[in-house]
Amino acid sequence: AALGQSLQNQQAEEFKITGVLKNVPMNSHFRFDALISRNTRPQFQGGWGGFGVATYIQLPAGYDLTKMYNSFEKIIKERVNPVFEQFGIKVAYELQRITDIHLYSKIQDEAEEGGDISYIYIFGAIASFMIIIASINYMNLATARSINRAKEVGVRKVMGSQRYQLIAQFITESVVIALIAMVLSMILIYALLPPFNDLANKALPFSYILQAPVLLSLVGVVLFAGVVGGSYPAFYLSGFNPVQVLKGKLASKGGSALFRKVLVVSQFAISIFMLISTLIVFDQLQFLRSKDLGFDKERVVRLTMSGSTLQEKGPVLAERLRQSSAVAGVGMATSTPGQGIGKAIFKVEDNEGKMADRGVDLYQADFDFVKTMGMQIVRGRDFSRDVAADTTYAVLVNEAMVKRMAWDEPLGKKFVLQGAGPNNTDVEKRVVGVIKDYHQNSLYEVIEPLMIILDRNFRFVFVRTNEGDVSESLSTIEGIWKEIFPNSPFEYDFLDQDFNSQYAADEKRSQIFTAFSGLTVIIACLGLLGLAAFTTEQRTKEIGVRKVIGASLKSLVVLVSAEFFVLVGIGMLLAFPAAWYFTDDWLQNFAYRIELEGQWITFIVSALLAFGITLVTVGYHVLRAASANPVNSLRDE
């Protein structure tokens, strides 16, 4: 039994198991393997000036939140303001429903990677586009082929069928087709859900589809697609004059040509919009992968020193690693690129020598960190073992800090952390160098002012390997690790993979978006294929006559394709501004992004693809008709 058993961590802290929790579901706000009582670890209690503790409040149903905010005001006045008012900082608390965190929270460092409601809207819109295009296809082809059912309608009307009965018949047929499609889609979902979960990094079970709200939603989609897709054909077919039909005088236009053209324009406007959006998303993600980050993340292995025992021997490990021929450099720090860093309030010297309170992002590093990470010193110098005072006073700042403080000469500027030294003495630091701005955080965020302090105890060791066999280098590093820490497991990360993982969610969304866009284009092409086949069939005699009098295949293809090119061109004119607006809005999520003004080639490529697809689709049917013996098409004239 687990109850009563003990667990011990690397710091020799012992914890007793007092209960076993049911497994946390995958859709929880945070997931864990074990919970430790904070009351048993007073060193982690924190204070009213800390921001590292998430606080959850369970309120009664229907509770008036204004009462809670009144309580907050009292707490802030009595507990929080005395901490921050000396620095001129005001603090306010806000409540957020736990059910809103996953899709709506914009707070950094949530317990689990969050989603974004905007992507729910985007993929919902894509699904709607696909259903609309499929419905358009059905309406187009049903009306285009209506001549084949004209005599059926005429006979039914002669036999006494009312128009509403015919309308009900055709809409019912449409709904039945949609129901069959839904059954087939359920089979496809069952088969494709595991690979979709892998692609989307989700854990959706098939049983989720079988819930009543989901099934009702699917039935609603079926009714929508069936009724909307079948409505125009139903009204059109039921309106036939039985006398004209039975005399064979019904015009064989297959419904309103104008209406069909509007539907084709709508299809291609949506398809071109999706195509442009997909290419823009791809270009932005490629930009993120290739942008200069201000440091070299390639061939860097990161080792995590979990606990004070390992951190104390960190310098010994680093020195031993430097002696290896497989290692090009070793640096240590309390933070790692791609993850959050600390912040403290310092008194900072301005250009006039006056001291002002500023919140400063900072972390600690050793003498070799900047060099190992491939960062660039643009003014002054790096930390130096040859300067004894560096261990006490030296700090590095980035260009963003220089810009924020508007320093004319940053070297020598002071930072003072009040009461942080022995016996509450002030700690003073001085700038010895300025590093070129680099991306400590992701490219979603602008580069913040930053200070790096020289220190000795670190959580992370960064090992840059020499070029060559990576597995061999890792084996060497692991051997050295086990020499120093024989009782601790060797765990590592590649810095480039870890940093790029910040964009993993966007990569997944991009792949899904691309797949859906491809399906949308394919569905539109299927509709175009059917419509082109019908149009060519309707003009078979015309093609035969033109061929007899000497028309070339090329001229016939151009003749029939020209109408479709015009429709695609109109769809393109509608799609371009819509795609520009929505992609520009999406790009605003990134602090560093491509400029749409420089993406004109993407719009041109999308247009050429649309025209090319049209030419291939229509041209195939025209060539097939034109290659046939014209005698066969003219025989009954």
Side-chain angles (χ1 to χ4, degrees):
L3 295 180
Q5 299 294 321
S6 295
L7 299 173
Q8 190 176 81
N9 63 13
Q10 292 178 332
Q11 287 74 49
E13 292 180 291
E14 189 169 303
F15 304 93
K16 181 178 288 186
I17 299 173
T18 59
V20 178
L21 290 168
K22 184 179 179 181
N23 288 337
V24 180
M26 291 297 292
N27 62 340
S28 173
H29 158 54
F30 60 91
R31 298 185 290 273
F32 52 86
D33 296 314
L35 293 176
I36 299 174
S37 171
R38 202 177 185 95
N39 292 331
T40 63
R41 310 183 82 192
Q43 69 272 32
F44 293 104
Q45 285 297 313
W48 288 102
F51 295 98
V53 180
T55 303
Y56 299 87
I57 305 169
Q58 186 174 8
L59 299 174
Y63 186 84
D64 185 0
L65 291 181
T66 57
K67 296 179 181 178
M68 179 57 66
Y69 280 110
N70 291 335
S71 299
F72 284 161
E73 290 179 6
K74 182 180 178 182
I75 293 171
I76 291 171
K77 184 177 180 180
E78 295 179 358
R79 303 283 188 172
V80 181
N81 283 346
V83 177
F84 289 99
E85 60 187 7
Q86 58 183 316
F87 304 111
I89 296 175
K90 294 186 179 296
V91 174
Y93 292 147
E94 291 187 5
L95 293 172
Q96 183 176 40
R97 296 183 186 277
I98 195 169
T99 51
D100 291 343
I101 291 175
H102 180 69
L103 291 177
Y104 296 93
S105 177
K106 300 299 181 184
I107 299 172
Q108 293 183 10
D109 302 323
E110 287 285 8
E112 297 291 339
E113 180 184 359
D116 192 330
I117 189 62
S118 63
Y119 288 104
I120 302 296
Y121 295 145
I122 289 171
F123 289 122
I126 293 172
S128 301
F129 286 160
M130 294 175 71
I131 292 172
I132 289 170
I133 288 179
S135 299
I136 288 173
N137 281 350
Y138 182 82
M139 295 168 73
N140 258 336
L141 298 178
T143 53
R145 307 295 291 184
S146 59
I147 189 65
N148 295 335
R149 303 192 68 178
K151 290 185 179 179
E152 174 194 346
V153 173
V155 170
R156 285 181 178 276
K157 281 196 169 185
V158 169
M159 297 296 292
S161 293
Q162 299 297 314
R163 186 176 185 185
Y164 74 86
Q165 293 175 316
L166 292 170
I167 291 173
Q169 174 197 338
F170 291 125
I171 289 181
T172 300
E173 289 177 3
S174 179
V175 171
V176 169
I177 291 172
L179 278 170
I180 294 172
M182 186 190 78
V183 173
L184 292 175
S185 72
M186 296 286 281
I187 296 172
L188 288 174
I189 289 172
Y190 182 81
L192 299 177
L193 190 58
F196 175 80
N197 280 333
D198 291 338
L199 173 64
N201 196 27
K202 302 297 180 186
L204 289 171
F206 183 75
S207 58
Y208 174 80
I209 309 295
L210 303 178
Q211 296 179 92
V214 179
L215 289 175
L216 290 174
S217 299
L218 289 175
V219 171
V221 171
V222 166
L223 292 176
F224 172 82
V227 173
V228 172
S231 58
Y232 179 74
F235 282 98
Y236 176 75
L237 289 169
S238 64
F240 285 165
N241 186 316
V243 176
Q244 288 184 327
V245 169
L246 297 178
K247 284 184 177 181
K249 295 182 178 180
L250 183 68
S252 57
K253 294 181 180 179
S256 170
L258 176 62
F259 185 71
R260 287 205 311 275
K261 290 176 182 178
V262 170
L263 295 180
V264 170
V265 168
S266 302
Q267 271 190 322
F268 272 90
I270 293 172
S271 299
I272 295 170
F273 168 82
M274 297 285 290
L275 198 56
I276 293 172
S277 300
T278 300
L279 294 174
I280 294 295
V281 169
F282 177 81
D283 288 344
Q284 171 63 17
L285 293 177
Q286 184 63 30
F287 172 79
L288 295 180
R289 287 190 291 264
S290 60
K291 187 180 185 300
D292 179 14
L293 299 173
F295 66 95
D296 184 4
K297 64 181 185 298
E298 305 302 325
R299 305 194 331 274
V300 176
V301 179
R302 185 184 64 203
L303 310 177
T304 302
M305 316 290 285
S306 54
S308 58
T309 304
L310 270 64
Q311 290 176 16
E312 288 172 1
K313 291 187 177 180
V316 177
L317 173 67
E319 188 58 37
R320 179 67 183 84
L321 286 167
R322 290 189 187 102
Q323 297 170 10
S324 171
S325 60
V327 174
V330 181
M332 297 186 290
T334 57
S335 184
T336 175
Q339 297 183 10
I341 58 177
K343 183 184 285 286
I345 297 174
F346 283 81
K347 285 191 174 297
V348 185
E349 183 181 6
D350 61 20
N351 264 333
E352 286 72 37
K354 297 178 181 178
M355 307 299 289
D357 290 318
R358 292 286 188 274
V360 180
D361 288 354
L362 76 160
Y363 64 87
Q364 292 79 42
D366 72 343
F367 288 103
D368 301 293
F369 175 74
V370 170
K371 179 174 62 177
T372 299
M373 297 300 292
M375 297 175 183
Q376 183 179 346
I377 301 291
V378 294
R379 298 184 70 171
R381 61 176 176 83
D382 194 359
F383 298 132
S384 175
R385 291 183 174 86
D386 298 330
V387 181
D390 274 8
T391 56
T392 304
Y393 295 107
V395 296
L396 300 173
V397 296
N398 64 355
E399 294 172 304
M401 175 65 77
V402 176
K403 184 177 180 181
R404 178 188 181 189
M405 297 303 301
W407 284 329
D408 297 325
E409 177 48 72
L411 301 181
K413 292 299 182 184
K414 292 188 294 185
F415 290 83
V416 177
L417 186 57
Q418 295 177 300
N423 301 319
N424 291 324
T425 56
D426 293 347
V427 173
E428 180 179 310
K429 301 289 182 181
R430 293 181 182 271
V431 177
V432 299
V434 179
I435 62 172
K436 181 181 178 180
D437 279 342
Y438 77 94
H439 290 276
Q440 172 66 26
N441 296 316
S442 73
L443 294 174
Y444 289 106
E445 305 166 37
V446 297
I447 296 175
E448 295 287 348
L450 171 69
M451 177 174 69
I452 304 176
I453 299 175
L454 182 64
D455 208 332
R456 278 186 57 82
N457 292 325
F458 309 99
R459 185 182 176 196
F460 300 105
V461 176
F462 299 89
V463 185
R464 181 177 298 281
T465 63
N466 283 314
E467 293 186 8
D469 189 338
V470 176
S471 59
E472 186 177 324
S473 298
L474 279 175
S475 178
T476 301
I477 295 170
E478 182 178 8
I480 295 172
W481 172 278
K482 290 185 175 179
E483 286 179 21
I484 311 298
F485 307 115
N487 298 319
S488 298
F490 175 67
E491 297 178 343
Y492 66 92
D493 300 288
F494 288 107
L495 184 60
D496 55 350
Q497 294 178 359
D498 183 73
F499 193 88
N500 291 338
S501 68
Q502 299 174 101
Y503 316 115
D506 276 313
E507 293 278 2
K508 296 290 186 183
R509 294 181 188 120
S510 173
Q511 293 170 12
I512 297 170
F513 189 78
T514 301
F516 284 172
S517 297
L519 286 173
T520 303
V521 173
I522 290 171
I523 293 170
C525 289
L526 288 174
L528 181 63
L529 189 70
L531 202 56
F534 170 77
T535 302
T536 306
E537 182 182 331
Q538 294 292 87
R539 301 180 70 172
T540 299
K541 289 184 175 62
E542 177 190 348
I543 291 172
V545 170
R546 289 180 179 276
K547 188 175 181 182
V548 167
I549 62 176
S552 65
L553 285 176
K554 179 181 178 182
S555 65
L556 291 173
V557 171
V558 171
L559 174 70
V560 181
S561 302
E563 177 185 345
F564 289 96
F565 280 155
V566 171
L567 300 180
V568 172
I570 296 172
M572 179 183 67
L573 294 176
L574 295 174
F576 277 12
W580 184 285
Y581 174 80
F582 284 103
T583 54
D584 183 65
D585 183 65
W586 177 74
L587 287 171
Q588 300 309 312
N589 292 320
F590 300 86
Y592 301 90
R593 54 187 178 268
I594 58 175
E595 295 296 332
L596 277 181
E597 289 79 2
Q599 297 298 307
W600 55 269
I601 190 68
T602 298
F603 288 78
I604 292 177
V605 167
S606 300
L608 291 176
L609 279 173
F611 283 126
I613 290 169
T614 304
L615 180 61
V616 170
T617 305
V618 179
Y620 166 75
H621 288 288
V622 178
L623 287 173
R624 185 179 175 188
S627 300
N629 190 337
V631 174
N632 295 329
S633 61
L634 300 175
R635 182 175 296 163
D636 61 345
E637 288 296 334

